[in-house]
Amino acid sequence: MTYPDIQLCINGEWRDAADGRTLAVLNPATGRELGRVAHAGKADLDRALEAARKGFETWRDMTAADRSKIMRKAAALMRERADDIARLLTQEQGKPLAEAKGEAMAAGDIIEWFAEEGFRVYGRIVRSRGSLALRQMVLKDPVGPVAAFTPWNFPINQVVRKLGAALAAGCSMLVKAPEETPAGPAALIRAFIDAGLPPGVLGLVYGNPAEISSYLISSPIIRKITFTGSTPVGKQLAALAGQHMKRVTMELGGHAPVIVAEDADIAVAVKAIAGSKFRNAGQVCISPTRFLVHKSIGAEFASALAKHAKGLKVGDGLEEATQMGPLANPRRLAAMAEFTRDALERGATLLAGGERIGDAGNFWQPTVFADVPLDARIFNDEPFGPMAGIRTFETLDEAIVEANRLPFGLAAYAFTRSLKNADLLARRVEVGMLWINMPAMPSAEMPFGGVKDSGYGSEGGPEALDAYLNVRAVAVMNV
């Protein structure tokens, strides 16, 4: 499928930027330009904001059943178009076609689940303490137009989690999507437009992230902010939103620990965790990164993980045999080189990878380190790439202390055959999501979000709708 130039979507119409500005979209596998994406200016943002205001007035007054029909149709369109969307996504982001198609198909599931969850936005009747003539009600209403800011690593997934909950709650949404990967979000928004979504309910813009975020967050039209990205940027946006008393959901960076207990099944652990580690070339907020392995099985686990890494086929995501694609941009290559240099200088043992592949595209070898000291960058800063660091522990309590040492608290993994260990880990590992004896398996019906510096709020489960709803108390005396 030929990669198209990507336009803005304002008031249900696809249009160029008012001043004609565009940005280049590059293929991370080749470094060559794929196409152009429109760069929004203030005039475009003003039109988009006004459209979102009017779209909200229409959408909030539709029944949950009518909203659900449109959302379900959009879900069906995403599934029907998944093959074409996947090719666009692979070209702009780099992930293998199978992963790209999985992302497009999962969007259909997420939309469909939220379409049904919209029926379950319930208020309640509260009995009066003093008079049967007094009726007390708790009402839940949509908060208003929402501004969403999303990253390049999962261009469809990170948008659909936000808009699914927002639309189900009755909100309109203006999405500021990533300039590096604009076609995926555009395909998602197009599915909703083609499904009959009223004008203005969903808008899509691209451009300078700092300029757009400050402009949208300060607008009195926007009543809710949702952001996925780095912790430093998330803190800046949350502070700006606080100045304007805007509600905020933050899904921020992680540094996921993996605890492999003495009684773990090593084969199960390596098979489950290796897939999660090298999916999307490690450019995943919940990617397992800090591997804490019991001393008695440390060497065996490290050898097995390194063997898996060496066996991965790295290449252009459009090629059928590819298991891991390129990194998103040259900045990630530079980061991988720096993490590698730092780990080796501090005494870590390189078991696999550690080098760039070729000189065309952003390819990096799947990399595994053993004997990583605690002061190495890989055990303190999120690498956001195909890199795993391993160190051993003697007691499970020691491993839990290390897992909780950093300020991040997004995701964690553990492997054990003991229910006692599993219960201890569930109670004491400080993360928003913990997977035990399995790879990461997020789903629409489960909460998705972190604690501590990894953010607050959920982008999954019934809890996701809470952030898009105002709770109001209404009392009526029968006279």
Side-chain angles (χ1 to χ4, degrees):
M1 183 177 183
T2 303
Y3 192 93
D5 287 338
I6 307 299
Q7 298 175 298
L8 312 175
C9 184
I10 298 175
N11 204 33
E13 298 177 350
W14 298 93
R15 58 199 303 168
D16 295 330
D19 59 10
R21 281 187 296 169
T22 63
L23 297 166
V25 182
L26 304 181
N27 184 332
T30 65
R32 291 194 287 269
E33 184 174 316
L34 284 166
R36 311 291 296 185
V37 57
H39 185 303
K42 288 187 177 180
D44 303 299
L45 298 180
D46 285 337
R47 282 195 292 266
L49 285 165
E50 180 60 19
R53 184 188 66 78
K54 292 180 178 178
F56 171 63
E57 293 174 354
T58 300
W59 189 246
R60 71 179 176 189
D61 290 335
M62 292 175 63
T63 66
D66 287 339
R67 293 197 293 252
S68 178
K69 288 176 184 176
I70 294 173
M71 293 177 70
R72 282 179 164 276
K73 187 172 181 181
L77 289 174
M78 286 297 294
R79 294 187 181 111
E80 290 173 12
R81 301 170 180 178
D83 287 329
D84 288 340
I85 294 172
R87 293 193 68 83
L88 295 176
L89 185 52
T90 293
Q91 289 178 72
E92 66 183 8
Q93 202 276 335
K95 65 185 63 176
L97 267 175
E99 291 185 24
K101 183 174 180 179
E103 186 172 343
M105 293 294 288
D109 294 341
I110 291 169
I111 296 165
E112 205 164 61
W113 188 84
F114 278 114
E116 289 302 299
E117 197 63 18
F119 286 100
R120 288 176 277 279
V121 177
Y122 302 136
R124 67 182 189 273
I125 301 296
V126 180
R127 287 186 178 274
S128 166
R129 292 187 177 199
S131 171
L132 293 179
L134 176 61
R135 172 167 291 186
Q136 300 180 129
M137 297 174 286
V138 178
L139 305 182
K140 294 185 178 182
D141 301 320
V143 67
V146 178
F149 305 93
T150 62
W152 47 259
N153 58 332
F154 287 93
I156 296 173
N157 178 278
Q158 300 289 6
V159 177
V160 76
R161 285 183 173 277
K162 301 176 188 302
L163 69 80
L167 295 183
C171 296
S172 61
M173 176 173 278
L174 179 53
V175 179
K176 190 280 170 191
E179 295 71 40
E180 300 94 334
T181 55
L188 175 64
I189 302 302
R190 188 177 298 278
F192 279 93
I193 302 300
D194 293 348
L197 194 74
V201 178
L202 275 182
L204 177 65
V205 297
Y206 306 92
N208 183 288
E211 290 178 3
I212 293 178
S213 60
S214 62
Y215 198 75
L216 296 185
I217 292 173
S218 62
S219 169
I221 292 174
I222 297 298
R223 298 309 312 160
K224 165 74 174 31
I225 312 301
T226 175
F227 171 79
T228 298
S230 72
T231 295
V233 174
K235 288 181 176 180
Q236 292 174 13
L237 297 189
L240 180 58
Q243 294 176 22
H244 300 279
M245 290 304 294
K246 305 289 177 73
R247 192 177 303 181
V248 175
T249 297
M250 289 281 159
E251 197 261 282
L252 306 179
H255 203 327
V258 182
I259 298 176
V260 185
E262 183 178 11
D263 64 344
D265 184 317
I266 295 177
V268 168
V270 171
K271 181 179 180 181
I273 210 63
S276 291
K277 172 66 259 181
F278 298 110
R279 179 171 71 107
N280 201 26
Q283 300 167 123
V284 185
C285 58
I286 58 174
S287 178
T289 301
R290 295 180 290 149
F291 288 73
L292 309 170
V293 186
H294 191 272
K295 190 174 183 178
S296 64
I297 58 172
E300 184 180 356
F301 178 88
S303 176
L305 185 61
K307 180 179 179 181
H308 178 94
K310 291 176 181 177
L312 290 172
K313 170 65 175 176
V314 180
D316 191 322
L318 293 176
E319 297 175 3
E320 188 173 345
T322 295
Q323 295 171 290
M324 192 184 92
L327 293 168
N329 53 60
R331 298 189 305 276
R332 302 312 312 148
L333 283 177
M336 293 305 98
E338 175 56 28
F339 274 103
T340 297
R341 183 198 62 76
D342 176 81
L344 293 176
E345 286 184 357
R346 295 179 188 276
T349 302
L350 181 64
L351 300 182
E355 294 182 357
R356 179 179 181 175
I357 301 174
D359 55 9
N362 307 321
F363 297 99
W364 185 268
Q365 294 175 337
T367 300
V368 178
F369 291 102
D371 310 313
V372 179
L374 281 180
D375 63 352
R377 280 195 62 195
I378 192 174
F379 255 70
N380 293 277
D381 301 329
E382 182 182 22
F384 216 65
M387 187 170 288
I390 304 171
R391 62 180 288 113
T392 59
F393 65 85
E394 294 187 357
T395 69
L396 192 57
D397 284 339
E398 176 190 337
I400 292 172
V401 168
E402 168 54 25
N404 294 338
R405 175 177 62 90
L406 298 183
F408 305 106
L410 186 59
Y413 306 79
F415 294 88
T416 178
R417 301 187 224 206
S418 163
L419 287 177
K420 180 180 179 181
N421 285 346
D423 179 69
L424 180 66
L425 291 160
R427 286 188 288 109
R428 289 183 50 194
V429 178
E430 299 168 353
V431 291
M433 297 168 284
L434 172 64
W435 289 282
I436 299 178
N437 296 329
M438 60 186 291
M441 294 185 67
S443 61
E445 57 270 21
M446 286 289 285
F448 190 99
V451 298
K452 303 196 294 187
D453 273 11
S454 290
Y456 43 79
S458 175
E459 295 198 327
E463 294 82 1
L465 273 70
D466 292 345
Y468 298 95
L469 295 167
N470 286 326
V471 179
R472 301 189 298 115
V474 176
V476 181
M477 180 66 77
N478 186 12
V479 294

